[in-house]
Amino acid sequence: MAHCCTGSWRAPVYFTVSVILAFIAISTSMHSKTEQPSSPTKLNFHELSLNASKALRKAGFNVMATLLQVSPEIFLLSPNSTIFAIQDDAISNSSLPPWLLRNLLQYHTSPLNLPMKDLLKKPRGSCLPTLHRQKNIAITNIDFKETTVDINNVSVTHPDVFLAETISVHGVLEPFSSLDPEDVHQGWNSIQAPTCNAMSVLVSDAVKSTNMVEWSWIVRLLSSNGFVPFAIGLNSVLEEILKDYKGLNSVTIFAPPNLQSLTSPSPLLKRTVWFHILPQRLTYNELTALPAGTLLMTLVRDLSLEVAGTAGFKGGLIINGIEIVAPDIFTSKKFTVHGISRAFEVADQVAAIGT
């Protein structure tokens, strides 16, 4: 009986996986907003996703294993991750469109590294953040005797499928949220998140207080996507940013393709990099809505950038005489990065940083 059905899952599973991956590839190339994996090197990142994928496949989570191996950017968007793997039949039998399936997968991924021993330490009712924006998952039951945990009333059936320094992977009995295809038009809101209690609010606040702006993530995104000189410059002045802007909780970065000869720490490098950063998050649409002549405060307290309007028909927005050629290339709730054609000129400015 079991033998006759050995390969029965393969056709719908691989069809679903191929559709999801095709959607992700198309959306990435069209919008150039890919939230890239945050790994010190590409080699380490791919080794990590490959090893986690092998462990998932060995445990019987073939769809999640394939997705993690081929498109790890769905899951690994932060320095740390916990993935709650969904059973094959739950994904292959779903009639949801690929874009909503991707949301569902990210709702099953937390930007925290939580092996089973750490999950068991959490108070019942604690909420955990996910990669699905503004949606949490909740620990609804803990059985210390059986060492089991329920999340959103779903049992973690395969704890510690894969563990590493920055990632934990667990298998769950079923999806954390039941998405009715009839309500698919609701998009983000169709995932029903649990209500956090007071204890979970403390957990959330602790996470926010230790990671106001994801600077290390930003540096990696820049360095792995063609903005290496600026990434190096930003990394060299990060300590001073953290010291002088302790309450900073959001930024806008204008990333140039190069910084000419500014390759080593110096007052000019610091001044140049800071002049490309706003202490607030402004998307491209928000910038274009500003009247021409609007001044934007930068991290250089005495210097501002000026909005000058768009460059002709279908031209990009002009800031300080420089065109934004790649708007919103990287975004999160706390930052957005716009690619500009060349670096802003600051050498002829007389104001000093921090005065």
Side-chain angles (χ1 to χ4, degrees):
M1 182 70 177
H3 179 72
C4 70
C5 302
T6 300
S8 62
W9 60 271
R10 296 183 184 275
V13 166
Y14 284 122
F15 173 77
T16 302
V17 171
S18 63
V19 171
I20 294 174
L21 295 179
F23 169 80
I24 292 169
I26 292 172
S27 62
T28 298
S29 62
M30 289 180 61
H31 300 291
S32 299
K33 293 184 183 178
T34 310
E35 298 179 353
Q36 298 289 343
S38 52
S39 145
T41 66
K42 290 185 178 180
L43 177 61
N44 289 341
F45 170 75
H46 288 299
E47 285 181 342
L48 183 66
S49 59
L50 179 60
N51 291 337
S53 175
K54 289 180 179 178
L56 277 169
R57 198 175 304 280
K58 185 176 181 180
F61 294 87
N62 296 282
V63 173
M64 296 290 285
T66 301
L67 289 169
L68 181 58
Q69 181 178 352
V70 180
S71 289
E73 64 271 15
I74 301 175
F75 310 94
L76 306 181
L77 302 181
S78 66
N80 298 289
S81 300
T82 297
I83 300 172
F84 297 96
I86 307 171
Q87 300 280 355
D88 288 344
D89 56 355
I91 298 181
S92 60
N93 293 331
S94 174
S95 58
L96 296 176
W99 64 269
L100 191 52
L101 279 175
R102 173 172 176 163
N103 295 349
L104 181 65
L105 294 172
Q106 292 189 328
Y107 184 56
H108 286 70
T109 307
S110 175
L112 304 173
N113 185 13
L114 297 169
M116 190 62 173
K117 63 181 180 62
D118 289 343
L119 287 174
L120 289 167
K121 295 176 183 177
K122 299 289 183 183
R124 180 177 178 179
S126 294
C127 280
L128 307 174
T130 73
L131 297 183
H132 185 77
R133 299 177 183 179
Q134 300 179 345
K135 297 292 186 179
N136 297 314
I137 52 179
I139 297 178
T140 51
N141 188 51
I142 297 177
D143 190 326
F144 294 101
K145 183 178 180 180
E146 300 295 330
T147 62
T148 59
V149 172
D150 288 0
I151 296 178
N152 286 24
N153 297 310
V154 174
S155 298
V156 177
T157 54
H158 295 68
D160 298 339
V161 170
F162 178 78
L163 297 178
E165 184 178 357
T166 60
I167 182 176
S168 297
V169 180
H170 312 291
V172 295
L173 182 62
E174 58 188 29
F176 290 154
S177 176
S178 176
L179 300 183
D180 188 342
E182 295 181 0
D183 297 327
V184 72
H185 65 279
Q186 295 181 20
W188 293 104
N189 295 327
S190 60
I191 287 184
Q192 301 301 313
T195 301
C196 295
N197 62 20
M199 184 62 70
S200 63
V201 172
L202 294 177
V203 173
S204 180
D205 287 345
V207 172
K208 291 180 180 179
S209 66
T210 57
N211 189 22
M212 300 296 285
V213 175
E214 308 96 322
W215 288 112
S216 60
W217 183 11
I218 294 172
V219 170
R220 292 172 188 142
L221 287 171
L222 291 168
S223 63
S224 61
N225 287 274
F227 300 93
V228 175
F230 188 76
I232 293 174
L234 175 58
N235 188 64
S236 70
V237 301
L238 267 184
E239 185 174 347
E240 292 172 282
I241 293 178
L242 296 173
K243 178 181 177 181
D244 291 359
Y245 287 90
K246 294 181 180 178
L248 192 63
N249 57 19
S250 63
V251 294
T252 299
I253 298 176
F254 298 99
N258 59 68
L259 285 178
Q260 300 178 350
S261 61
L262 301 177
T263 57
S264 59
S266 68
L268 180 57
L269 175 60
K270 171 184 174 181
R271 184 181 180 189
T272 300
V273 172
W274 284 32
F275 192 48
H276 288 74
I277 303 175
L278 310 180
Q280 59 179 319
R281 180 182 181 274
L282 291 173
T283 65
Y284 188 73
N285 286 338
E286 290 171 333
L287 287 171
T288 55
L290 298 174
T294 298
L295 296 180
L296 304 172
M297 183 178 67
T298 70
L299 293 190
V300 186
R301 291 186 173 89
D302 290 348
L303 299 180
S304 299
L305 297 170
E306 183 177 357
V307 178
T310 57
F313 181 68
K314 290 187 177 181
L317 184 68
I318 302 297
I319 304 289
N320 260 41
I322 307 300
E323 183 179 359
I324 296 179
V325 292
D328 298 328
I329 48 177
F330 313 122
T331 63
S332 79
K333 293 169 61 177
K334 299 176 184 177
F335 71 83
T336 187
V337 178
H338 307 295
I340 56 178
S341 58
R342 58 186 175 87
F344 297 132
E345 295 291 339
V346 295
D348 58 343
Q349 302 287 349
V350 297
I353 291 179
T355 61

